[in-house]
Amino acid sequence: MPITAKPMSAEKPAPTSAPGTGLSAVQRALRKLGLRRDIDFALYLPMRYEDETRIVRLADTRDGDVAQIEANVVSAELVFRPRRQLVVTVDDGSDTCQLRFFNFYPSQQKQLSVGARVRVRGEVRGGFAGRQMMHPTVKAAGVELPQALTPVYSTIAGLAQPVLRREVRAGLARARLSETVPAESAPAGAWDLQRTLTFLHYPTPDVSMAALEDRSHPAWQRLKADELLAQQLSQLQARRERATQRAPRLIGAPASGSLHDQLLQALPFSLTGAQERVGGEITRDLARDMPMHRLLQGDVGSGKTVVAALAAARCIDAGRQCALMAPTEILAAQHFGKLVDWLDPLLAQRGLRVAWLTGSQKKKERDVMAGAAESGEAALVVGTHAVISEKVRFANLALAIIDEQHRFGVAQRLALRGKATDGLEPHLLMMSATPIPRTLAMSYYADLDVSTLDELPPGRTPIVTKLVSDQRRDEVVARIEAQLALGRQVYWVCPLIEESEAIDLRNATETRDDLASALGEKVGVGLLHSRMPTAQKQAVMQDFSANRLQVLVSTTVIEVGVDVPNASLMVIEHAERFGLSQLHQLRGRVGRGAAASACVLLYAPNEGGRVGEAARARLKAMVETADGFEIARRDLEIRGPGEFLGARQSGAPLLRFADLDADTALLEWARDLAPKMLDHHPALAREHVDRWLGSKAEYLRA
Ligand code: ADP
Ligand code: MG
């Protein structure tokens, strides 16, 4: 939209400070945009430009052109129908044009009186029937034309474009833009930073707009390279800092047979090749005295829990404690149940046990469990965030395992590290079912070693995914009946309605009742909702696990990690409302046994009979692929890296300019240069990181 605002407002003095804050309204608005330091302004780039450098002839303009003309006002009248407006005709000698204003000030009306010569800029509409501009910008004619394009910055309410422009110009002028990239390492022919930023704020009118827009222009290349370098430097710094920390070496097992080997023997299956390989990677890390910082990624159902249990066994074999945390109580309960089944008998022989810590526990039980953690009797502590609450102390924690790591914030990971004893850091194993595409791993998780379970346990049959319109719910009931007749079980997931948990609960309850009456008395239909007390949730889960309930209706509480191999059908209602990774996670609840499994995505078109474009892309991806890596790739494509990462890594500074897909060459350059810079130019490296990440750099180190 062309800027029509009263041009004079820019020159008004800034409003006075709001009481108590010491900041003017403008300053507060600038802070909201993250603009504090001079360099922040210099790096705040325009979202587009306006060309005010030229005056064109009306006769040369075409429908849709944004044009700047100088012309004489030949008529001006106030019209009241169909609504009040100022209609002005101007003539520049080549042709005439009608200008229409619905909102205008008396000063503007005066400026546009008959006989005046004005400079007008706006979008030209219409052709033969006569040209028109709606709400063009009007200035006095004859003022000197600018040499460069005019930047247009993204702004917020309360911060007028001309004010922001002025602030950015001043910040850019003040900012120290000394070179931080060593001359010998800069890409050949690279622009210097001063020239780069001056140009990107005020490009010369001869620039190729395409090169600015697709960011292939040398100035953009330089800027993106700088940004990627800052990110690589800060990640590498974090890694080097970790290398200076010490962790206990977890090696050696008691002569009388190791827990690790006993657990392996007790498992009802043998490990997949991928599980063995990853187990080896973890074992090697644990044997070092540098803290492990490893991400174990594997699609839903790839068997991460066993790998975690084996790592825990290694730790316990070395005489130390392990903590396993999950984001929800249900999930923690599942781990707990399984690990108890596997490990408790073996631990009991050693006078050890598994302890359980959650927020909703009764105080008495909790004290007993915390006591066991503190004395070291609990070799393994399983739970939610409660595990890292301040009150819990460990005798000798050496390994922390975090499931669904993206649900945990940086602060929680830090708190976990604080649980270490004798100045040693615990090893950290994070697990995730949503794989990170390679380019993202390279740039955002450079301080992370990644292990991948790229093989599913044998005997799984692929899940068939079907899209079904909400109007054909009856068919779905028939499908459920068919599965029940085979002795199988069914999940039904109700959508989350964000505004109201109460509505959520009502929907889920209604669905449960509807299904119960449709399926008849013999079928047990259970309900799981996040509002239910934990004990009740666990009871329902146990009933479903033991097949006392055949159908489980739930809100998204079952999203992660629940494991009932006899379940063979997953119905997701209002699937169009869910995110892609979330849908994939939900689907992963079935297909865990040998039975052929299916996932039905019920969708409800909106009033227009349509599903939004992004929603359609998500549903399409679900039907087309069951491969978690492919799903992650498409998710990234649909959402872009900002949102993709935002959901999982709060606090990670995102790339503002570089695009990991398009800029892999620059990323490689930055990866290559970062270690050299830290070694040979540490002061420049510090300056560079500070320039780009400023106060955010601290965050990265977590
Ligand atoms: P996820 O990676 O999603 O956490 P789980 O660890 O819950 O997967 O494993 C999914 C299911 O596969 C569980 O029932 C688990 O016992 C089983 N499983 C794991 N490893 C194997 C294996 N090597 N062979 C057969 N089944 C396995
Ligand atoms: Mg899991």
Side-chain angles (χ1 to χ4, degrees), residues 61-301:
T61 63
R62 279 176 309 184
D63 185 37
D65 282 357
V66 175
Q68 182 169 255
I69 56 166
E70 282 196 359
N72 295 324
V73 177
V74 291
S75 78
E77 57 182 333
L78 212 45
V79 174
F80 291 91
R81 248 170 293 199
R83 54 181 280 205
R84 183 173 180 272
Q85 52 184 292
L86 178 63
V87 180
V88 176
T89 307
V90 294
D91 185 340
D92 77 345
S94 74
D95 205 345
T96 62
C97 181
Q98 202 177 59
L99 317 178
R100 284 177 188 271
F101 303 85
F102 295 111
N103 302 304
F104 49 90
Y105 294 89
S107 60
Q108 272 173 307
Q109 204 175 344
K110 202 167 152 226
Q111 188 181 30
L112 289 163
S113 49
V114 174
R117 185 160 177 84
V118 285
R119 183 179 295 172
V120 178
R121 187 175 183 283
E123 189 179 331
V124 181
R125 282 280 163 219
F128 301 118
R131 293 185 169 79
Q132 271 200 355
M133 287 189 196
M134 307 295 277
H135 277 275
T137 321
V138 180
K139 292 180 183 169
V143 180
E144 196 187 339
L145 289 168
Q147 301 288 304
L149 300 184
T150 308
V152 180
Y153 301 97
S154 154
T155 188
I156 51 177
L159 187 59
Q161 187 67 225
V163 178
L164 180 55
R165 243 178 227 153
R166 196 183 56 205
E167 295 287 340
V168 172
R169 183 187 278 277
L172 175 64
R174 280 192 308 261
R176 269 192 64 228
L177 299 175
S178 56
E179 278 308 313
T180 44
V181 177
E184 73 273 17
S185 309
W191 283 30
D192 70 42
L193 192 61
Q194 178 77 53
R195 180 178 174 207
T196 294
L197 288 174
T198 310
F199 181 84
L200 289 177
H201 285 282
Y202 309 106
T204 43
D206 58 348
V207 68
S208 141
M209 270 299 158
L212 276 188
E213 264 157 33
D214 71 11
R215 300 188 173 179
S216 61
H217 191 279
W220 271 116
Q221 293 292 307
R222 165 63 212 258
L223 202 68
K224 293 194 286 191
D226 258 37
E227 180 180 42
L228 288 165
L229 180 62
Q231 189 196 41
Q232 291 300 311
L233 281 171
S234 71
Q235 296 268 334
L236 189 63
Q237 255 166 4
R239 189 182 193 88
R240 290 190 174 184
E241 252 173 56
R242 181 160 59 89
T244 67
Q245 297 164 349
R246 289 290 155 260
R249 288 169 177 265
L250 301 178
I251 34 176
S256 59
S258 71
L259 181 64
H260 180 271
D261 294 354
Q262 287 175 4
L263 173 58
L264 260 187
Q265 266 151 33
L267 290 176
F269 46 75
S270 50
L271 298 184
T272 63
Q275 284 170 323
E276 293 219 14
R277 190 191 68 239
V278 167
E281 288 164 5
I282 294 170
T283 302
R284 272 193 297 283
D285 278 3
L286 295 180
R288 291 199 194 107
D289 64 356
M290 168 177 161
M292 172 169 77
H293 200 172
R294 187 170 284 279
L295 175 69
L296 167 56
Q297 55 178 22
D299 208 346
V300 265

Side-chain angles (χ1 to χ4, degrees), residues 271-423:
L271 298 184
T272 63
Q275 284 170 323
E276 293 219 14
R277 190 191 68 239
V278 167
E281 288 164 5
I282 294 170
T283 302
R284 272 193 297 283
D285 278 3
L286 295 180
R288 291 199 194 107
D289 64 356
M290 168 177 161
M292 172 169 77
H293 200 172
R294 187 170 284 279
L295 175 69
L296 167 56
Q297 55 178 22
D299 208 346
V300 265
S302 59
K304 295 186 287 295
T305 317
V306 185
V307 174
L310 288 167
R314 288 260 186 239
C315 170
I316 296 165
D317 276 332
R320 297 214 169 224
Q321 285 173 300
C322 173
L324 174 60
M325 294 199 296
T328 65
E329 298 212 19
I330 294 260
L331 188 55
Q334 288 252 329
H335 278 302
F336 186 64
K338 239 184 197 164
L339 294 175
V340 168
D341 287 351
W342 287 336
L343 285 172
D344 231 14
L346 302 172
L347 285 177
Q349 297 164 18
R350 294 163 165 81
L352 298 172
R353 60 174 298 189
V354 183
W356 165 243
L357 279 169
T358 71
S360 69
Q361 228 161 8
K362 295 240 164 59
K363 181 168 186 319
K364 207 167 147 201
E365 187 192 344
R366 193 182 156 78
D367 287 347
V368 171
M369 297 291 181
E374 184 156 6
S375 72
E377 186 202 350
L380 181 62
V381 181
V382 185
T384 56
H385 304 149
V387 171
I388 49 166
S389 88
E390 275 165 44
K391 287 177 214 117
V392 181
R393 270 192 284 280
F394 290 86
N396 54 17
L397 180 68
L399 170 63
I401 304 175
I402 302 183
D403 200 7
E404 309 301 341
Q405 59 93 22
H406 59 278
R407 298 270 203 108
F408 283 91
V410 173
Q412 286 158 339
R413 294 215 294 268
L414 278 180
L416 190 60
R417 281 178 39 187
K419 294 288 169 197
T421 39
D422 11 298

